[in-house]
Structure formats: C-alpha cells, structure tokens
Amino acid sequence: MTSSRVTGAQSLIQSLEHAGADVVFGLPGGAILPTYDPLLDAAHLRHILVRHEQGAGHAASGYAHATGEVGVCMATSGPGATNLITAIADAQMDSIPLVAITGQVGSSFIGTDAFQEADIVGMTMPVTKHNFLVTDAADIPLTIKQAFHIASTGRPGAVLVDVTKDAQQAMTDFVWPDELGLPGYRPSPRPHQRQIREAISLLLQAKRPVFLLGGGVIRGRASEQVRELVDLSGAPFVTTLMGRGALPDSHPAQLGMPGMHGSVAAVSALQRADLIIAIGARFDDRVTGRLDSFAPHAAVVHCDIDAAEISKNRTADVPIVGEARDIAAGLAAELRERLAERDDRDYEAWWSFLSNLRESYPLGWTQTADGFTAPQKVIQRLGEISGPESIFVSGVGQHQMWSAQFIDYERPNSWINSGGLGTMGYSVPAAMGAKVGAPDRTVWAIDGDGCFQMTNQELATCVINEIPIKVAVINNSSLGMVRQWQNLFYDQRYSHTDLNTGHGTRRIPDFVKLADAYGCAGLRCERDEDIDATIEKAMEIDDRPVVVDFTVSADAMVWPMVPAGVSNDEIQIAQGMTPEWERDI
C-alpha cells in the first residue's frame, strides 16, 4: 500500500476513517490538541463536542448499543482521561464495543508528575478488554486497527488507546496495515459438536427446560438463530435485563425478565427448571439471588463467547464456547435431526404450571396512597404511544426497572441501559449517541430526577448538534431506589434521599425552566388524565429535544422483588406478600 508523509495526529484521524469510524464524541485539551487540528478537516469523520468527558463515553456507548458498531470517544490527558473511566468501565461491564482515545503528555515527561499527567493505562487496565500506550507515531495505524478489531470481536468490550503528545506531533509515513499482527488473539472459537450433542440430549430428556437469554444474544446478533432454536424446542424462555428485546415480548414462550425485580413466572421457571440453557448470560448475582439456592434441580448448558464466564458463578454441566449465533444454529440443526428420528417431549405439565403463574401474577401496580401519579403508568403509556420501533434508554434505579418491566420490546437494540455497572447519569448522553446512530428512530431517555441532574448538560450538545432526543424525567423528588431500600430495610429513615424537585417542594431545579434555558421544549405532567396528551405533544416535536417533567408519587416501589442475599424462592409480589405456590411439577 502506498504511504503519505503526515503528522502522527493526521495519521490518527486517517486511521479512524480507515477503521470505519464515522462519528467521534469528544472534548479537546492540551495533550490531544494536535489531533484536534486535522480533525477539523476530516472529510468522513463527524466530531460532536460534548460538555463533559463522561458524556462522550456514554454517548459512544449509546451509539454502539443502537448500531452494533464500535463507538468512539476522545479526551485529553489527566482529568479529561480520568473523567472517561466511569464510561469505559460501564461499557466493559456490558460488553459494548468502545474505543477510547486519550492524549498523553510527551513521552519524556511520563513519570515526572507533569502537568495533567495521569497513568490512564494503569488506571483502566482492570476495566478494559485491552489498552495501548503509543509513543511512536509509526505505531498509530496498526494500533488503531488492532483496537477496533479487539473491541468488536469475540466478547465485545472497551479498548483504550493513549497517545503521547510527541507521537501526535512527529512526522511519519501513513500506511494502513493489511495484517493485524495479533497471533495470540483468537476471539471466535467454533462450538464443539460433541457438546452440541450433549446439550440436545439433555434437552430431549428434560421435563422442565427453560432458555436463559442474555445480552450476548444481542451483542452476537443472534436473535434470528436463537428464535429458530426456541421455536423448534417448544420450551419457554426468559430474557435478562441486558437481553430485553433479544426475542420479542409478544412471543408466546416469553416468561419475562428474571432476577431481583423479575416476573414471578420467570423467577419461578428458573427455580423449578430441571434444565437451563443459558445463551450469552453470565449468571449475574441480580439474576441468581443467593447462589447456593439458585435453580437447585437444574442441569446447566452454558453457551458463551467468553470462556472465562463458563462456570464462573454456576457450574456448567455442558459448557459451549463460541459465537451465540453459531451455537444456536448448531443446537437447532442437531435438535431438528434428533426430532426427526424420535420425539418424546412432554412439556404439558410444565407449561400448565407456568401459564398459571403468568395469569395469576402478571406485572402491574396499585393506586398510590398519596394519590399522585403512578410512575409505572407513565412508562407503560410511553411504550404504547411511542411504539416498538422506538429506542428507550434508561438511567439507573426504579425507573430503569419499571422501563424493563412495563415497555414491550419487540426487536434487538431497542432497550439501552447501564446493567452491569449501574451508572447514574447514563441515560441522556447514551440517548444522544443512540439518536446519532439511529437518526430515523424516536429515542426516549427515561431518566430519574437524580440521574438527570448528573448529565443533563449534554442537552446543550443535543440542541447545538440538532440531535432531537426526548427525555422523560420520572420525577419522584428523590433517589428512588435508595429510598425504596430505606423504606423496606431501614425503618423508613430517609437519610439524604430527598432531592426537592417535585410535588410540594421548591423544585430545585425546575426542569421545565432548565429545558427552556438549554433551548429544549419543556413540558410538565402532574395528572393521570394528562399523561397521553403530554406524550403525544412530545412526539409531535422533532426540531429540538423535549424534556417532560412527569411528577409522580415518591411512594411507588418496584415489585416483584427478591431482597438481596436471599433465595429467589422468597420473591415478594408486594411488601410482605409472597405468591401462593401451586403444587410441585
């Protein structure tokens, strides 16, 4: 390939373009300034100037969530880079393909405590899939190619590229490499056929099988193959918080979301199963509850691209390592062949038990004691009015759980949230990134009044860059999930959870005035009878962001609930109320 003489900074921009990046979310500073100069002339790379580096990272994550492509963010050294760490850790926890590029002080200054020096490589090593320190301009193209490949293949994750200022300023020959030069990196093993056969043997012997579908089904773009397998099997399935939308909620075999705030049917299915086939799920503590009592009678087939996840929390009887779509296709082919020979499946009693639970304990809510609006109703109507083609991006807390529970997700990449790290402030910048990646879809940021106050400055970014997201602030004037735990476990001692943003308070800040100050449309809804009209009005506004202050009851709680540290068998459907279990299967 022919080469051209350029600066390291120019080489970095050209490398990003060759790697397929089309947008970078970032904020300039001294150590990355050499790269920002050629960025001004980039023909195929859009830069979006954020108001905080954490916003850049979450925006890149939202973009990657919505598109399946690598998200890119950029910051300077020192505090700019450290402000990215939360977003990097968040992306890594949720297996989001992200490349974070940071400037670093000149290589001769490293280790001298120079101005705005921070060992960002050392700091992020525990929370990245891989990271690089580049001190030679000649290494930039290969490093960027490797970074994008590592971030997007196998189990996706976050990759940091830290480039010293002198490497950006030095002259070099730009050559985009043909080879990756990663001889030890083999990210996509083929599933072993013997394990496929063993898994299907267990499935055909099982009386109470259930599929546990996680975020890996979505990251692996395996929804079509997994649906074929589930349909062929006749078994029920549950979708984790990160797996919502992997298969449609309207599918007749869908039991809901398992875990701490899962449906009774989903939690009970796992507890009473004699076989769990987990695809792209990691048996997180929020799903299993007390691990030693989780699914006590179930054999486990654990399918994952990351061998390190196999048997990490729950021992797998049949481990299968590989891409989710390859595993699902292999399982379906083997099952089809075996069923053609003989079919002894009998799930009638199993489905009778599960159907009774679905009918007896559907998700719902009761009228609030204080008479104020139930937040669950707001969120359910948001989903129904906006429709299944929309993208819903939540913050973290009660509104996150209600959004997972009361919105129906019919396709992958329509539900975006911070699952593993649980990062407050995620919603607005992630929604911004999602809208950039999917401009033709309606994007709702469903946020809490606490989360919203952490990153709402990115509304300025949205207005200036014409990114018309819609923000539903579920305003209960408190740190809702913390308040719920204080209610249940701390004798209603509400220590430092009142935010003074809603009913009967000073409204500090007034979210409608705040929206207006940022150049957004600001709406407020305080009555049940105004919910639909307010949402419909927000849907009509497409020329700028919309912020809707839904002032709701502070007393509403997320149910069902499995308290931390207890068995999933102790699931509560309301405070002090447990399901009346039918006879064992």
Side-chain angles (χ1 to χ4, degrees):
M1 184 178 291
T2 59
S3 64
S4 57
R5 195 71 176 166
V6 295
T7 65
Q10 290 171 318
S11 176
L12 179 53
I13 297 305
Q14 291 183 37
S15 295
L16 288 173
E17 292 177 326
H18 276 76
D22 56 12
V23 60
V24 175
F25 302 91
L27 189 68
I32 196 67
L33 202 56
T35 293
Y36 266 81
D37 184 63
L39 185 56
L40 191 65
D41 301 319
H44 306 292
L45 199 60
R46 178 187 182 188
H47 180 270
I48 294 177
L49 175 63
V50 298
R51 295 304 180 266
H52 190 283
E53 291 88 355
Q54 183 179 346
H58 291 326
S61 172
Y63 174 90
H65 260 286
T67 64
E69 304 300 326
V70 176
V72 183
C73 54
M74 189 180 294
T76 194
S77 65
T82 58
N83 279 345
L84 274 180
I85 291 178
T86 295
I88 289 171
D90 185 280
Q92 179 68 10
M93 285 281 280
D94 287 342
S95 303
I96 304 303
L98 181 82
V99 170
I101 297 168
T102 53
Q104 183 55 274
V105 299
S107 54
S108 63
F109 293 102
I110 291 177
T112 69
D113 289 333
F115 177 67
Q116 290 192 334
E117 181 195 358
D119 180 11
I120 194 63
V121 170
M123 290 178 184
T124 59
M125 194 170 291
V127 294
T128 52
K129 187 176 179 182
H130 194 71
N131 55 27
F132 299 89
L133 173 63
V134 180
T135 59
D136 186 339
D139 295 335
I140 290 174
L142 179 59
T143 302
I144 294 298
K145 184 167 186 171
Q146 290 174 337
F148 273 71
H149 181 70
I150 293 169
S152 60
T153 54
R155 180 179 183 175
V159 177
L160 174 85
V161 180
D162 193 36
V163 188
T164 61
K165 190 169 185 178
D166 53 316
Q168 297 171 59
Q169 293 171 322
M171 297 302 295
T172 185
D173 292 318
F174 176 78
V175 179
W176 186 246
D178 295 323
E179 302 295 329
L180 277 164
L182 293 170
Y185 180 64
R186 299 181 180 86
S188 301
R190 300 288 297 178
H192 199 288
Q193 189 59 35
R194 186 181 68 182
Q195 293 163 316
I196 294 285
R197 289 193 298 267
E198 290 178 1
I200 295 303
S201 293
L202 287 178
L203 177 59
L204 292 174
Q205 295 164 13
K207 298 297 184 185
R208 301 184 303 278
V210 60
F211 285 91
L212 172 61
L213 307 180
V217 175
I218 296 173
R219 300 290 163 265
R221 305 183 188 189
S223 292
E224 181 180 343
Q225 293 83 358
V226 170
R227 179 164 188 167
E228 181 184 3
L229 171 62
V230 169
D231 288 345
L232 186 63
S233 74
F237 69 90
V238 301
T239 50
T240 69
L241 178 67
M242 295 307 299
R244 302 289 287 116
L247 265 61
D249 279 348
S250 59
H251 194 290
Q254 166 73 276
L255 298 179
M257 182 177 72
M260 176 175 278
H261 294 297
S263 70
V264 171
V267 172
S268 302
L270 293 176
Q271 286 301 100
R272 283 154 179 75
D274 61 2
L275 175 67
I276 295 173
I277 300 179
I279 304 178
R282 56 190 178 88
F283 292 99
D284 176 75
D285 63 285
R286 284 298 196 258
V287 168
T288 65
R290 205 179 77 194
L291 191 59
D292 62 4
S293 67
F294 173 71
H297 307 296
V300 171
V301 175
H302 194 172
C303 314
D304 206 287
I305 187 62
D306 185 356
E309 289 294 344
I310 305 289
S311 296
K312 183 178 78 174
N313 294 324
R314 173 63 181 257
T315 300
D317 297 276
V318 179
I320 308 178
V321 179
E323 295 277 3
R325 58 179 176 268
D326 293 339
I327 294 172
L331 290 170
E334 179 69 18
L335 178 58
R336 187 177 294 106
E337 184 177 320
R338 300 273 285 275
L339 289 177
E341 299 171 359
R342 180 174 178 177
D343 185 358
D344 293 326
R345 291 174 299 169
D346 181 8
Y347 303 150
E348 183 177 353
W350 183 224
W351 267 116
S352 176
F353 171 76
L354 296 173
S355 296
N356 179 61
L357 289 179
R358 282 198 297 197
E359 294 168 8
S360 300
Y361 303 103
L363 291 171
W365 66 88
T366 57
Q367 185 66 33
T368 58
D370 57 17
F372 294 130
T373 294
Q376 301 96 320
K377 182 175 183 178
V378 171
I379 290 170
Q380 180 168 293
R381 292 302 294 151
L382 264 176
E384 290 169 348
I385 293 172
S386 193
E389 288 304 306
S390 299
I391 295 174
F392 300 93
V393 187
S394 85
V396 170
Q398 287 181 314
H399 63 281
Q400 175 189 28
M401 294 298 104
W402 289 322
S403 298
Q405 291 175 331
F406 292 104
I407 294 176
D408 291 331
Y409 299 99
E410 295 296 307
R411 61 176 186 82
N413 305 310
S414 57
W415 163 243
I416 298 174
N417 80 123
S418 170
L421 198 63
T423 305
M424 290 182 67
Y426 178 82
S427 181
V428 169
M432 175 175 71
K435 184 65 174 176
V436 171
D440 296 330
R441 296 192 185 277
T442 298
V443 177
W444 276 99
I446 302 177
D447 221 354
D449 45 310
C451 288
F452 182 62
Q453 292 185 78
M454 292 191 172
T455 52
N456 63 36
Q457 67 270 19
E458 298 308 335
L459 290 173
T461 310
C462 291
V463 170
I464 291 169
N465 291 277
E466 299 181 343
I467 306 169
I469 65 171
K470 304 180 192 301
V471 182
V473 182
I474 308 302
N475 181 6
N476 59 8
S477 194
S478 66
L479 298 171
M481 189 61 86
V482 182
R483 188 180 192 275
Q484 174 167 332
W485 281 53
Q486 289 171 334
N487 189 333
L488 296 175
F489 309 120
Y490 293 89
D491 298 323
Q492 298 182 343
R493 289 165 54 83
Y494 300 122
S495 175
H496 303 287
T497 47
D498 187 350
L499 293 177
N500 282 283
T501 56
H503 289 298
T505 73
R506 292 175 289 173
R507 294 195 190 276
I508 300 175
D510 184 316
F511 293 135
V512 174
K513 292 180 180 178
L514 183 70
D516 181 66
Y518 274 122
C520 305
L523 306 173
R524 177 172 289 125
C525 179
E526 299 183 279
R527 305 185 307 165
D528 282 20
E529 54 264 39
D530 296 333
I531 292 173
D532 285 16
T534 304
I535 295 171
E536 288 162 359
K537 184 174 181 180
M539 292 292 292
E540 293 170 359
I541 301 172
D542 286 322
D543 61 340
R544 62 196 187 282
V546 184
V547 177
V548 186
D549 179 6
F550 288 102
T551 51
V552 300
S553 173
D555 294 330
M557 290 197 279
V558 183
W559 300 106
M561 181 178 182
V562 179
V566 305
S567 168
N568 282 350
D569 287 325
E570 298 182 44
I571 186 172
Q572 297 181 19
I573 55 175
Q575 191 164 358
M577 295 177 61
T578 57
E580 296 180 7
W581 300 114
E582 300 292 329
R583 59 178 175 79
D584 289 339
I585 302 300

